[in-house]
Structures are given as C-alpha cells and as structure tokens.
C-alpha cells in the first residue's frame, strides 16, 4: 500500500492560463491521468476498462490541493502517487508534483475515492 508510483510528463501549452502556468484545475487532471497510467503500469489495472465492462469504479469524493510553485508550459514534471489509507469502500491517495530534478515541489494533493456501482450509483465494497 505504501508503494510510491512515479511518472513524468510535459506541461502542455493548451493547459496553461494567461499567467503562463498550468491552470489550477488542470493540476487535478494531470494527477488523475498520471495515477491511471501508474496503476496500469504497476498493477495491470485498467480503470476505464473496469468501469465499462464491470460497471464499477472509483470516483473522487473529496480532494484537497496545495499549490507551491507554478508548472510552466513545456516543463517536464514528475508526478508521484501513493495510497496511504483505505477501507472496504474507499481509498485515499496522496499526490506530489515536482520539477524534473525533484528539487521543487510544485503541488501536493490528497484525494479520497469511493467505490461506486455504476448501475445503481451507490457506494459498494471494492474487491
């Protein structure tokens, strides 16, 4: 559970705001996209496929994010994620975004995911 998953990406120009840095809402997108790729690479779990074939999946129920330094257009960034707490129906993931040298923390987030039966829209135990 404490395994840190890591990946790199480039900040896309179209995701930046007029202040020339990654738009605040896009930080969450970058973190969630990285997590989806990391979970597939580390565990072979295809989250979208599970949602479409099994009609179940994890949905963000709460999130908290702190912004420390801007992520700039065309900058290479490192995204780390790790599950730090879980129960039968939810899990909490910690995200960190760094510059390419891991010298500057750009953003930090905690997100809670609940497991949903997509047919009923209700929370259910994940298995």
């Amino acid at each position: 559970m404490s395994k840190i998953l890591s990946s790199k990406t480039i900040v896309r120009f179209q995701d930046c705001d007029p202040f020339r840095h990654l738009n605040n809402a896009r930080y969450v997108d970058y973190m969630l996209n990285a997590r989806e790729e990391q979970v597939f690479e580390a565990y072979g779990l295809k989250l979208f496929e599970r949602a479409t074939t099994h009609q179940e999946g994890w949905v963000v129920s709460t999130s908290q994010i702190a912004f420390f330094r801007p992520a700039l257009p065309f900058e290479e960034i490192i995204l780390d994620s790790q599950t730090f707490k879980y129960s039968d129906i939810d899990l909490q993931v910690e995200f960190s975004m760094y510059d390419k040298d891991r010298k500057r923390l750009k953003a930090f987030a905690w997100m809670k995911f609940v497991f949903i039966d997509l047919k009923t829209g209700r929370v259910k135990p994940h298995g």
Side-chain angles (χ1 to χ4, degrees):
M1 182 173 73
S2 62
K3 182 176 182 178
I4 297 174
L5 306 178
S6 186
S7 58
K8 294 179 183 180
T9 194
I10 301 291
V11 176
R12 302 293 173 207
F13 174 77
Q14 69 265 18
D15 297 331
C16 295
D17 59 26
F19 300 110
R20 293 185 12 103
H21 55 69
L22 188 61
N23 181 283
N24 290 16
R26 298 294 288 151
Y27 279 79
V28 173
D29 292 336
Y30 276 58
M31 291 174 178
L32 291 175
N33 288 337
R35 181 68 179 176
E36 182 177 10
E37 293 168 7
Q38 293 165 356
V39 166
F40 173 69
E41 288 178 17
Y43 308 114
L45 180 59
K46 296 180 180 180
L47 298 173
F48 184 77
E49 185 177 296
R50 182 174 184 145
T52 56
T53 59
H54 298 287
Q55 296 294 299
E56 61 188 17
W58 292 269
V59 176
V60 176
S61 63
T62 60
S63 64
Q64 184 176 5
I65 188 167
F67 305 99
F68 299 107
R69 290 187 172 76
L72 304 173
F74 310 107
E75 179 180 13
E76 184 177 301
I77 54 174
I78 297 172
L79 293 144
D80 290 346
S81 70
Q82 70 175 338
T83 301
F84 70 93
K85 186 177 179 184
Y86 69 94
S87 74
D88 291 340
I89 61 168
D90 65 21
L91 54 92
Q92 295 184 36
V93 178
E94 177 181 284
F95 295 88
S96 301
M97 180 187 289
Y98 296 95
D99 68 342
K100 69 177 182 176
D101 300 317
R102 288 187 184 273
K103 291 184 179 176
R104 293 183 181 85
L105 179 63
K106 300 204 170 263
F108 182 85
W110 282 333
M111 294 185 203
K112 181 178 179 181
F113 297 80
V114 293
F115 197 63
I116 301 289
D117 180 326
L118 296 173
K119 292 175 273 193
T120 65
R122 298 192 179 267
V123 174
K124 71 180 238 179
H126 43 194

